[in-house]
């Protein structure tokens, strides 16, 4: 994103971007964006000082101006319409309870043209692979902690057909980008097939544009 995508938008808006950092966690991405001259707004449900919005205090001494932080649900954000140029789902989109509703709320907050980056959400070619991953994760969680991890319903994965359907329903044009994570990562699908395991998740960057 820093090397390939942001320069494209920065060329179009040289004064800096107003950016929603959705699922901001400890605000590392908002810090990087602010250091680059943009105006991020961090949104998350967690506010603690370890991995929630409160952790941003560590970054503020290195910035000229603090960035705002809001405790809010991605489906109900406390912003008026058309305030932002870009929304980034930072390892968070797959936790949405309703992908369409989440995107519609995001689009409400964007100017036109508006842009969406979905990063670090697992993408599978086949629906059954995503379903199996969810079952495996929930079973592992229950074995470890003694109770289920799905108290908040979420899809937890994407497929190309899901992304295509969301684009059609929400009026978004998608571009899927394939970052290079190294040879070991690239060989994961082959290893999974040889060991007869489920399909390995891809972590691609999904760039959406709405005019």
């Amino acid at each position: 994103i820093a090397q390939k995508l942001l320069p494209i938008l920065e060329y179009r808006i040289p004064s800096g971007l107003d950016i929603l950092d959705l699922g901001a966690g400890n605000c590392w991405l908002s810090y990087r964006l602010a250091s680059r001259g943009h105006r991020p707004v961090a949104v998350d449900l967690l506010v603690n000082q370890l991995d929630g919005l409160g952790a941003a205090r560590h970054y503020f001494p290195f910035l000229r101006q603090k960035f705002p932080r809001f405790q809010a649900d991605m489906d109900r954000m406390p912003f008026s319409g058309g305030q932002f140029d870009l929304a980034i789902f930072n390892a968070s989109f797959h936790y949405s309870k309703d992908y369409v509703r989440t995107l519609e709320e995001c689009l409400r907050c964007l100017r036109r043209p508006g842009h969406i980056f979905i990063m670090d959400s697992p993408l599978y070619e086949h629906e059954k692979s995503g379903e199996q991953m969810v079952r495996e994760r929930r079973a592992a969680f229950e074995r470890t902690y003694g109770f289920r991890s799905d108290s908040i319903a979420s899809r937890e994965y994407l497929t190309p057909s899901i992304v295509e359907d969301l684009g059609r329903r929400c009026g978004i044009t998608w571009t899927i980008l394939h970052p290079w994570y190294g040879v070991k990562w690239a060989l994961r699908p082959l290893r999974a097939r040889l060991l007869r395991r489920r399909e390995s998740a891809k972590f691609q960057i999904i760039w959406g544009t709405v005019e």
Side-chain angles (χ1 to χ4, degrees):
I1 286 176
Q3 295 176 3
K4 303 288 186 179
L5 302 187
L6 283 176
I8 296 173
L9 300 183
E10 289 165 348
Y11 177 78
R12 299 174 185 174
I13 309 176
S15 60
L17 303 168
D18 294 303
I19 302 175
L20 270 175
D21 180 6
L22 299 171
N26 64 15
C27 300
W28 69 267
L29 179 59
S30 286
Y31 168 65
R32 293 284 298 274
L33 294 168
S35 299
R36 202 175 171 103
H38 300 300
R39 297 174 293 278
V41 173
V43 177
D44 205 296
L45 288 174
L46 297 179
V47 296
N48 66 73
Q49 298 190 5
L50 292 176
D51 55 2
L53 298 176
R57 74 188 194 283
H58 298 294
Y59 299 122
F60 288 157
F62 304 100
L63 296 173
R64 293 183 178 179
Q65 184 174 351
K66 297 179 180 179
F67 50 80
R69 296 162 290 163
F70 288 86
Q71 183 182 29
D73 190 297
M74 294 186 294
D75 294 349
R76 293 179 296 275
M77 291 187 284
F79 311 117
S80 59
Q83 289 194 37
F84 300 92
D85 304 297
L86 168 65
I88 302 179
F89 289 93
N90 177 17
S92 59
F93 185 71
H94 54 288
Y95 292 118
S96 165
K97 298 181 287 293
D98 182 332
Y99 288 159
V100 172
R101 181 173 178 179
T102 299
L103 284 176
E104 287 177 344
E105 175 66 357
C106 176
L107 293 175
R108 181 187 68 79
C109 296
L110 291 179
R111 303 183 180 109
R112 300 296 188 269
H115 300 273
I116 299 169
F117 294 163
I118 298 176
M119 56 185 281
D120 286 345
S121 285
L123 181 71
Y124 294 93
E125 289 296 324
H126 306 288
E127 187 91 17
K128 65 180 182 180
S129 300
E131 292 172 350
Q132 184 177 345
M133 177 274 294
V134 171
R135 289 194 298 269
E136 291 171 358
R137 288 185 57 183
R138 291 179 179 177
F141 188 97
E142 190 167 4
R143 285 195 303 270
T144 303
Y145 299 103
F147 58 91
R148 295 173 63 87
S149 64
D150 54 351
S151 57
I152 299 178
S154 57
R155 192 70 174 269
E156 299 189 38
Y157 65 90
L158 293 164
T159 66
S161 61
I162 291 174
V163 174
E164 182 180 354
D165 181 64
L166 290 171
R168 185 167 52 249
R169 296 175 66 179
C170 298
I172 301 171
T173 301
W174 299 111
T175 301
I176 298 182
L177 305 162
H178 308 267
W180 174 249
Y181 297 115
V183 174
K184 185 177 180 180
W185 185 268
L187 292 175
R188 288 170 69 246
L190 176 60
R191 185 170 185 269
R193 286 197 297 270
L194 291 174
L195 296 176
R196 297 185 178 181
R197 296 176 178 173
R198 65 164 169 80
E199 170 193 354
S200 299
K202 300 179 180 68
F203 290 87
Q204 298 167 342
I205 298 173
I206 305 172
W207 179 3
T209 303
V210 59
E211 299 295 337

